[in-house]
Amino acid sequence: MNTDGIIGSRSGVRPTNLFSTDPAILGAEHPRAAEMRRWIREHLCRTHRDLGRPGPVCPYIGRTIAQQNLWVSFVEGRHISPQSIAAIVDDLNDLFPVMPPQREPDNKHKAILAIFPDLTEYADLDAVQDEQKTRFVDKGLMLGQFYPGCTAAGLHNPRFPALDAPLPSLAVRNMVPTDFPFLDSRHEWIDTYLGLFAPTIPGFISSSIAAKLVETPATRDSSA
């Protein structure tokens, strides 16, 4: 599928395939694209002694790479306003469903990233991700932030920095059954999660849900 005309209407982001073998795409890619590919292959696709479970750090990304379904847009600039980041996220929200593949089941392992290679302050990424997360969850999507030194904990080991990455980015992908620990703080997020996965929730997630409900019921955010 030709993606030349798929451009963010607010920010101008133009996603390209990070793992494409097309010489034209490789010849025009951002200078730090190879660095991102290397981190994905050598870190996310491999296991880690501190992960707390067997298997690769990200069980989602291997199939995404194999199917060449990882789309990225590099956004240059050392100082990017929160408004600009929000506009980029708005565009990711619009572009995700139209980026190939569009049909199930192939589109289940699709992801799209906005990468900010020059950014050195990350508070705005956290803020925009927090503000925008609900609208993605409502669509069965996850919006995540990654950057150097990110301290967000892994699911199985709270000391494992799961979102620590060499380049700051915001990523959109489809929600998967193991995402519950990222969604258990908001009543409406849990409702969406259960609506999607109730029949196929993994055992360890079911135990987590039961413990959460016994401990304290989730509260609905009054600002939502």
Side-chain angles (χ1 to χ4, degrees):
M1 178 178 177
N2 189 332
T3 61
D4 289 346
I6 302 180
I7 304 171
S9 61
R10 305 166 187 84
S11 65
V13 292
R14 186 193 297 263
T16 59
N17 195 313
L18 186 63
F19 287 88
S20 173
T21 57
D22 185 337
I25 292 176
L26 292 171
E29 70 179 10
H30 190 275
R32 301 191 72 178
E35 179 181 356
M36 197 67 176
R37 274 195 299 273
R38 184 166 57 251
W39 173 72
I40 290 171
R41 285 188 172 124
E42 296 180 2
H43 178 68
L44 293 186
C45 290
R46 296 183 181 179
T47 190
H48 193 285
R49 64 177 181 230
D50 298 326
L51 184 58
R53 61 162 173 78
V57 170
C58 177
Y60 182 94
I61 199 69
R63 189 173 297 181
T64 303
I65 293 172
Q67 296 176 349
Q68 295 187 359
N69 290 343
L70 182 57
W71 302 90
V72 300
S73 182
F74 284 83
V75 182
E76 297 183 319
R78 189 178 179 87
H79 303 288
I80 303 174
S81 70
Q83 294 77 17
S84 295
I85 295 173
I88 291 166
V89 170
D90 286 340
D91 281 339
L92 295 185
N93 185 49
D94 291 344
L95 295 179
F96 185 83
V98 301
M99 297 303 298
Q102 297 177 1
R103 296 183 179 179
E104 296 185 3
D106 293 340
N107 64 354
K108 292 301 183 182
H109 289 85
K110 174 170 62 176
I112 180 171
L113 283 72
I115 302 173
F116 306 86
D118 307 317
L119 208 62
T120 57
E121 299 292 335
Y122 313 124
D124 290 337
L125 294 184
D126 283 327
V128 171
Q129 188 271 347
D130 184 63
E131 291 168 1
Q132 300 272 18
K133 182 174 178 177
T134 294
R135 64 192 294 232
F136 284 85
V137 170
D138 286 346
K139 293 182 175 183
L141 303 175
M142 296 295 288
L143 173 67
Q145 78 281 34
F146 300 82
Y147 52 80
C150 184
T151 58
L155 300 184
H156 298 267
N157 180 0
R159 295 186 297 275
F160 181 72
L163 306 185
D164 185 8
L167 298 180
S169 63
L170 290 167
V172 179
R173 62 168 173 79
N174 283 291
M175 193 184 297
V176 295
T178 52
D179 281 328
F180 177 75
F182 299 117
L183 301 166
D184 66 358
S185 62
R186 296 275 292 271
H187 187 280
E188 62 268 37
W189 296 349
I190 294 177
D191 287 348
T192 299
Y193 174 87
L194 292 175
L196 289 171
F197 302 117
T200 57
I201 295 173
F204 79 94
I205 294 293
S206 297
S207 299
S208 177
I209 293 173
K212 184 72 177 178
L213 292 176
V214 169
E215 175 185 311
T216 176
T219 57
R220 189 176 300 277
D221 189 330
S222 61
S223 66

